[in-house]
Amino acid sequence: MRRTPTLLAVPVLALGLALAGCSSAGSAAPADTTTSSAAVTSDAMASTVLQGTFAGEGGKAVSGTVTITGDTVTLAGFATEEGPDLHFYLANGTDEQAVSAGVRIAAVSTEAAQTFTLPAGVSADDYTDLVVHCDKAKAVFGAAALTR
C-alpha cells in the first residue's frame, strides 16, 4: 500500500533539506574563515606602521611619541606647551607652508595618552611629519618626523 505525504511530512522534509544545506555551508565555512583570516592578515601586514618622537620647535616644548598604524594614530607620553587653537597636522615638513599644504587631523588634547582616527581618505604614508600647530598664531609648536 502506498502512503501519500501528509501535511506534517512536508515541513519535516523541508527542515531536513534546510539542515542539509546548513551542513554543507558549515563545511564550507572553515575554508571561508581561513580565506578571511588570510585576507585580514594580509591587510594588517599591508598597513604601514609609522613612528616618531616629538621635539619642540621655535622655543616651544613638545614631547612624546606617535605610532600610526593604518588610520589609527596613538600618542604616548605626549605633552606640549599650552596655546590657543592647537591642532595636529600631517604635513611634508614643519614650516608654515608645509602645514598649510598638509591635512588637519585632530585638536590637541592635554592627555598624555591619546588615540584618534585619521579622516576618511587620508593616508599617513603620504606625509613625513605629524605637526603640533597653533592655528590662531600660525606657529609650529613641535613635530614628530614619521619613519617606517
Side-chain angles (χ1 to χ4, degrees):
M1 175 176 198
R2 186 176 166 145
R3 294 181 70 165
T4 57
T6 65
L7 290 178
L8 181 59
V10 173
V12 171
L13 179 60
L15 178 62
L17 291 173
L19 290 176
C22 287
S23 67
S24 66
S27 65
D32 292 344
T33 302
T34 302
T35 303
S36 294
S37 295
V40 169
T41 303
S42 295
D43 289 345
M45 293 171 97
S47 291
T48 304
V49 175
L50 301 172
Q51 298 179 326
T53 301
F54 284 98
E57 293 192 13
K60 302 293 184 186
V62 179
S63 60
T65 61
V66 58
T67 302
I68 303 175
T69 306
D71 67 350
T72 302
V73 179
T74 306
L75 304 180
F78 179 76
T80 184
E81 286 188 33
E82 288 186 31
D85 204 22
L86 293 180
H87 289 88
F88 290 108
Y89 281 79
L90 280 172
N92 288 314
T94 61
D95 60 13
E96 264 319 294
Q97 184 176 1
V99 172
S100 294
V103 177
R104 185 166 83 175
I105 59 171
V108 172
S109 166
T110 59
E111 299 294 319
Q114 302 177 45
T115 300
F116 47 91
T117 304
L118 294 177
V122 174
S123 172
D125 289 331
D126 297 334
Y127 300 95
T128 59
D129 298 277
L130 181 62
V131 179
V132 176
H133 184 262
C134 178
D135 290 354
K136 187 173 184 177
K138 301 281 188 212
V140 173
F141 275 39
L146 301 173
T147 60
R148 288 179 167 72

